[in-house]
Amino acid sequence: MAKIVSMIGTTHHPWYHAKTSKPESELTEDARNLLGWSARVQESFRSTNPDVVVIVASDHFHQFFYNNMPQFLIGRMKSYQGTFYNEEREFGLPRVELGGDRRLATDLVEAGYENGFDFAFSDEMRLDHACVVPSLISQPSFEIPVVPLLTNCGAPPIPPGQRFVDLGKALRNAIESSNAVDRVAVVVSGNLSLEVGGPEQMMPYSVDPEFDALAMDWLTDRDYESLTAESTYERLMLHGNTSFQFLNMLTMASMQEDMTLIHAEAMKRRGSPAPCFIYESEVQE
Amino acid sequence: MIDHYAVNKFLYDTDRNEHLVRRYIDDPDAYVDWYFDERLSRLLDNESEQSAVESPDEATRTALKTYDCAMLYRDGAHPFILWTLMLPIIEAKLASGEFVVGEQPENARAENRKPMAYYRERILPHGRPDFRY
Ligand SMILES: [Fe+2]
């Protein structure tokens, strides 16, 4: 039976590569913070030694569109190519290749039926920056295969907060009932208040610092009542039109169970801070 | 009121294709007419079949032909794909001098500062429109 050995909550800041691949002397404070975060996550991966990484991340109109909109989709490919022309154009992201795990992915889809989730699945897809950037952060050499679980946090009607809480429980059960691998890391990618294409996008301050602080507390305290009450379309829109990707963090909160919280921080940036979480399990060697 | 599906399909389908983005920059009138007359009702994953999706009205075509991001935004085009496509358009038009950007927000972040300021100036009066419907 597979075991979740580490769980990371992280940003998928699309300019991660552009900012951090500069010469040392040209790194901004944001870039240094991002690199510091990456070093911490890589350290956690080294000590917990996962066989595969399940990435929970939002689609950004690359795999999903309104002609055919899944809410939760699992990738079953043996390998993945990453990023798209429009992301190279806008963010300077590098094209990448990652391994996949078709057996684990298939087990997760099957176990979903037993756990209240009828997952959509895909045998041909590319990964956008929501999977690529967390991979650059957690394993820049891309040696560990991944299973992407894409969520719809972009095209309303978006599932309510409770579904993301339930997803965490279902996904934990699904991983733990699989024999495909032994050690699994889960990387959940999301944000706090955020705006793209709206009035507060790319401003040098947070869209809603009050929400950011409260949300960090709700996540660390596993305050599901607040998390779900504050995660409706109307409520999240108050903190920016892209705050829906906060929903993924609810999945992280409900997956942690008895894992040990190693690190919880809202990383300061010009713009809204980025949620950074590391949980680890005690595993008998 | 714009037809949300038609506009969002236009934005999404154009933005992910380098050649279509180029055509939209170079000749917006011809491109928008071609898109709605020839391509809109074609299924995204089956070019030989069509759907019953209807071509939008003249006002919507005009908004897209004139890159009127304020109207598209106000009427509920999806803000993420609207911005993503408007960015290369605004960049190109600022570079050619067709667009002029006013004051840039103080301290705005470095990424895309000028196109962002151009876009923001226009959408700012409209707050955060509901883009659910
Ligand atoms: Fe995102």
Side-chain angles (χ1 to χ4, degrees):
Chain A
M1 295 288 140
K3 172 113 188 147
I4 299 174
V5 292
S6 70
M7 183 166 65
I8 311 294
T10 183
T11 175
H12 53 264
H13 184 52
W15 280 280
Y16 176 83
H17 176 77
K19 285 182 179 173
T20 58
S21 57
K22 290 189 170 148
E24 166 75 26
S25 60
E26 291 170 34
L27 292 175
T28 61
E29 198 187 334
D30 280 12
R32 285 176 206 280
N33 288 340
L34 286 165
L35 285 170
W37 169 235
S38 169
R40 265 183 187 274
V41 176
Q42 289 182 60
E43 176 53 40
S44 174
F45 268 29
R46 264 192 299 278
S47 68
T48 56
N49 194 26
D51 303 318
V52 64
V53 183
V54 174
I55 307 180
V56 179
S58 323
D59 177 72
H60 294 71
F61 288 106
H62 287 112
Q63 179 71 18
F64 303 173
F65 184 62
Y66 287 107
N67 65 327
N68 186 355
M69 184 62 67
Q71 304 290 10
F72 303 106
L73 176 145
I74 290 176
R76 295 204 311 154
M77 291 186 79
K78 285 180 275 189
S79 65
Y80 297 92
Q81 296 186 335
T83 204
F84 289 79
Y85 143 71
N86 56 3
E87 294 190 323
E88 284 185 296
R89 184 189 73 204
E90 186 172 353
F91 310 123
L93 272 174
R95 301 218 158 211
V96 301
E97 269 189 52
L98 281 151
D101 191 318
R102 189 173 170 86
R103 238 189 103 205
L104 176 62
T106 303
D107 285 355
L108 298 185
V109 174
E110 285 193 336
Y113 301 128
E114 307 298 314
N115 286 278
F117 278 82
D118 299 347
F119 291 114
F121 60 88
S122 173
D123 288 5
E124 185 176 7
M125 63 194 287
R126 289 183 70 93
L127 302 178
D128 77 18
H129 72 279
C131 291
V132 170
V133 170
S135 299
L136 286 166
I137 289 172
S138 59
Q139 49 150 337
S141 49
F142 302 126
E143 72 271 31
I144 311 171
V146 301
V147 173
L149 193 168
L150 300 187
T151 63
N152 171 24
C153 296
I158 287 164
Q162 188 61 48
R163 290 301 282 162
F164 285 82
V165 172
D166 295 344
L167 174 66
K169 299 196 169 95
L171 186 55
R172 171 173 278 279
N173 287 341
I175 290 169
E176 289 176 346
S177 67
S178 172
N179 285 314
V181 291
D182 290 330
R183 305 166 73 86
V184 174
V186 178
V187 172
V188 180
S189 184
N191 49 250
L192 301 168
S193 65
L194 192 67
E195 185 128 282
V196 179
E200 299 300 318
Q201 82 164 325
M202 288 195 278
M203 300 308 281
Y205 46 78
S206 169
V207 181
D208 191 340
E210 198 186 331
F211 172 76
D212 300 334
L214 286 169
M216 287 298 291
D217 288 344
W218 299 330
L219 290 171
T220 34
D221 299 344
R222 288 190 261 187
D223 178 354
Y224 297 122
E225 206 174 305
S226 301
L227 285 169
T228 53
E230 296 298 329
S231 292
T232 61
Y233 176 88
E234 290 83 357
R235 296 294 299 165
L236 286 173
M237 268 293 261
L238 298 173
H239 322 302
N241 66 16
T242 310
S243 304
F244 307 111
Q245 297 183 67
F246 175 64
L247 286 159
N248 292 330
M249 306 312 288
L250 276 61
T251 299
M252 178 198 76
S254 76
M255 280 189 84
Q256 60 187 272
E257 239 171 41
D258 56 356
M259 296 178 85
T260 309
L261 179 59
I262 308 284
H263 182 79
E265 179 198 4
M267 189 204 301
K268 274 218 180 91
R269 298 191 304 127
R270 281 163 64 81
S272 292
C276 299
F277 289 86
I278 298 177
Y279 300 88
E280 289 176 4
S281 289
E282 296 296 320
V283 180
Q284 300 279 310
E285 292 301 324
Chain B
M1 182 52 86
I2 60 169
D3 179 321
H4 291 130
Y5 183 75
V7 167
N8 286 335
K9 184 171 177 179
F10 175 95
L11 298 171
Y12 164 83
D13 196 17
T14 303
D15 184 59
R16 63 184 183 155
N17 184 320
E18 195 169 356
H19 306 290
L20 299 187
V21 171
R22 196 67 250 167
R23 284 173 61 187
Y24 187 32
I25 291 170
D26 291 344
D27 190 349
D29 290 355
Y31 177 70
V32 170
D33 283 335
W34 170 80
Y35 192 89
F36 288 133
D37 296 339
E38 306 285 328
R39 186 157 167 120
L40 175 68
S41 65
R42 278 200 215 154
L43 298 186
L44 280 163
D45 58 358
N46 182 343
E47 296 231 336
S48 68
E49 299 290 352
Q50 295 190 314
S51 72
V53 67
E54 284 173 21
S55 195
D57 63 14
E58 211 43 49
T60 304
R61 286 189 191 225
T62 304
L64 284 164
K65 287 175 182 177
T66 56
Y67 312 119
D68 187 351
C69 49
M71 177 193 158
L72 297 164
Y73 180 81
R74 181 199 69 199
D75 279 7
H78 195 292
F80 184 92
I81 45 181
L82 176 63
W83 161 249
T84 310
L85 179 59
M86 283 301 141
L87 174 57
I89 306 295
I90 298 169
E91 269 175 345
K93 300 293 167 182
L94 286 172
S96 69
E98 283 171 78
F99 287 3
V100 179
V101 67
E103 222 168 290
Q104 293 165 44
E106 205 178 322
N107 260 338
R109 276 159 56 195
E111 310 98 349
N112 309 313
R113 184 178 288 150
K114 281 186 182 169
M116 198 268 301
Y118 179 91
Y119 176 89
R120 186 171 197 261
E121 224 169 63
R122 281 154 186 80
I123 62 139
L124 203 54
H126 306 299
R128 291 194 185 106
D130 192 333
F131 57 93
R132 266 179 298 186
Y133 297 100

